[in-house]
Amino acid sequence: MKKLLNTLFITTPDIYLSLKGENVVISQEEEQLGRIPLHNLEAICTFGYAGASPALMHACAEKNISLTFLSRSGRFLARIIGESKGNVVLRKTQYRLSDHQIESARVARNFIFAKVSNQKWILERMTRDYPMRIDVPAFKQVSADLSNLLKQIIETEDLEQLRGYEGQAANSYFKCFDQMILQQKDHFYFKTRNRRPPTDNVNALLSLSYTLLTNDITSALENVGLDAYVGFLHRDKPGRASLALDLMEELRGVVADRFVLKVINKKILNDQDFYRKENGAVLLTEDGRKKFIRAWQERKQEALTHPYLNEKINWGLVPHAQAMLFARYLRGDLEEYPPFLWK
């Protein structure tokens, strides 16, 4: 259970929510764990299947408190809300800014600035932790190149230029990626990013981790009432969760890339967990996929201090924190969207 930005997150799967007076009551196997006044809440988000009482659903709808149900893995299931007072204004603001190229660039540059900054600090941490196992001068040169790109990113108001800077940063960063693989080098190596389909073990893991992260962010955006399919850097395309892909940029390195490196370097997965199809695609076996997802869920339970909120949360709530901050920015409660900046 965690209260963050006036949202109550229930992360234990077997919690039942009910109403008593003007309070939401949190219970587990008929034992009351706590109660929180409804007037302190804007939203409730629960991971699991125990459910909520009809009385609480009615009270939340009446008071315009959104009640969102996610699966244990974080997949969006359903959302209950009353009259869409705030959400209509929120989404109209999102749509209006998305239709404006310069405004879209001003929003999108924060996502890309954070992405490149986080990539820089991933490299810097490697030079600190493993100076004898990597080419430190090469890492420092790429880090300096990324610092120069950050100065250009923060000043641009052109989407195409922003995409160009992002592409340059990604090319520089991925030049160092293979060196960050410290174990199982015979079977885990990185030459270039490839997908649709991935043709080696590392790219197979990167593709799956990006998919899982996109799903988590899509759920977080649905939770706060934003349209996950209308983005700023990623433009409208049928069936594509463009805003989820936007927000994923800042978390791609620190969440997905670092997780992939962890499962390789800690030997959570090995070459026996993959198979190759006739078309050259490399995929995880069923057992390999289970191990990967189990490790992903365990990683989401690990704690950190959020760099902007300065509150201790688990990694699984980071997409939700960023979605809430982005919604507050669109509502005008924040002058600038504070992206996730990790060191």
Side-chain angles (χ1 to χ4, degrees):
M1 181 174 69
K2 174 69 179 179
K3 188 167 175 287
L4 184 67
L5 293 175
N6 291 350
T7 296
L8 175 64
F9 288 93
I10 306 296
T11 54
T12 306
D14 54 351
I15 294 295
Y16 185 74
L17 304 176
S18 58
L19 182 71
K20 189 166 186 179
E22 292 295 307
N23 301 295
V24 54
V25 177
I26 299 106
S27 304
Q28 186 177 38
E29 295 181 353
E30 299 185 2
E31 178 187 354
Q32 183 174 314
L33 302 181
R35 60 171 66 192
I36 295 179
L38 281 175
H39 69 263
N40 289 339
L41 297 175
E42 294 177 357
I44 301 170
C45 181
T46 180
F47 295 73
Y49 299 104
S53 71
L56 177 63
M57 294 183 193
H58 178 267
C60 287
E62 194 173 56
K63 298 177 183 297
N64 203 35
I65 299 170
S66 70
L67 177 57
T68 304
F69 297 91
L70 305 179
S71 71
R72 293 181 64 176
S73 64
R75 183 172 58 85
F76 178 80
L77 299 175
R79 185 165 178 264
I80 298 170
I81 193 166
E83 296 181 55
S84 299
K85 300 172 184 175
N87 290 338
V88 167
V89 176
L90 178 65
R91 290 199 175 200
K92 286 182 72 175
T93 302
Q94 178 188 354
Y95 299 151
R96 187 180 71 253
L97 292 180
S98 179
D99 283 340
H100 195 288
Q101 291 282 321
I102 293 178
E103 292 295 337
S104 289
R106 289 171 180 167
V107 173
R109 68 187 177 190
N110 282 20
F111 304 141
I112 300 305
F113 181 91
K115 176 183 181 178
V116 176
S117 176
N118 291 337
Q119 289 174 334
K120 170 184 168 65
W121 286 107
I122 289 171
L123 301 181
E124 289 288 347
R125 181 168 286 201
M126 287 295 296
T127 65
R128 184 195 69 188
D129 294 345
Y130 303 101
M132 304 300 292
R133 303 188 65 179
I134 63 170
D135 184 349
V136 172
F139 272 62
K140 288 292 185 180
Q141 181 58 59
V142 172
S143 178
D145 293 342
L146 296 181
S147 293
N148 290 330
L149 280 171
L150 287 171
K151 297 173 185 177
Q152 299 175 73
I153 288 167
I154 203 63
E155 294 176 356
T156 188
E157 294 186 345
D158 182 270
L159 277 174
E160 285 305 314
Q161 197 172 53
L162 187 60
R163 293 187 185 102
Y165 293 148
E166 188 274 334
Q168 291 178 50
N171 288 335
S172 297
Y173 164 76
F174 276 120
K175 287 177 183 177
C176 297
F177 200 82
D178 186 64
Q179 289 193 58
M180 292 191 278
I181 301 170
L182 305 175
Q183 301 290 337
Q184 308 186 83
K185 294 291 289 187
D186 288 343
H187 302 293
F188 292 90
Y189 47 83
F190 183 87
K191 294 180 180 178
T192 186
R193 180 76 180 108
N194 57 70
R195 50 188 176 173
R196 302 191 188 98
T199 57
D200 58 69
N201 294 352
V202 176
N203 274 290
L205 295 179
L206 288 172
S207 292
L208 179 55
S209 64
Y210 294 158
T211 298
L212 293 175
L213 180 57
T214 302
N215 291 340
D216 288 345
I217 295 172
T218 300
S219 295
L221 294 169
E222 293 284 354
N223 181 42
V224 299
L226 287 164
D227 190 332
Y229 289 82
V230 176
F232 299 88
L233 179 70
H234 296 84
R235 308 309 290 173
D236 296 348
K237 185 177 179 181
R240 182 170 73 180
S242 295
L243 183 58
L245 294 175
D246 283 356
L247 263 72
M248 186 182 75
E249 295 296 350
E250 63 193 79
L251 300 178
R252 188 188 291 263
V254 292
V255 175
D257 293 356
R258 290 181 69 236
F259 175 75
V260 167
L261 292 170
K262 176 182 176 180
V263 298
I264 297 171
N265 291 334
K266 289 187 176 295
K267 300 182 179 179
I268 296 170
L269 294 174
N270 57 55
D271 189 50
Q272 301 304 311
D273 293 311
F274 298 82
Y275 70 95
R276 184 178 295 273
K277 298 179 69 175
E278 290 182 1
N279 66 351
V282 173
L283 301 173
L284 278 165
T285 65
E286 184 175 348
D287 286 343
R289 190 163 54 251
K290 287 178 181 177
K291 287 194 284 186
F292 185 92
I293 292 174
R294 182 166 59 248
W296 177 266
Q297 293 303 114
E298 290 172 357
R299 169 62 172 158
K300 286 165 65 173
Q301 298 306 311
E302 295 177 12
L304 76 153
T305 299
H306 192 281
Y308 178 79
L309 300 172
N310 201 30
E311 286 196 44
K312 195 170 184 178
I313 62 174
N314 60 47
W315 277 98
L317 291 184
V318 170
H320 293 269
Q322 295 309 122
M324 287 189 290
L325 289 170
F326 190 65
R328 289 193 168 201
Y329 161 67
L330 291 181
R331 288 193 180 103
D333 297 335
L334 297 172
E335 289 187 10
E336 195 82 20
Y337 165 64
F340 186 83
L341 295 169
W342 174 86
K343 282 190 179 181

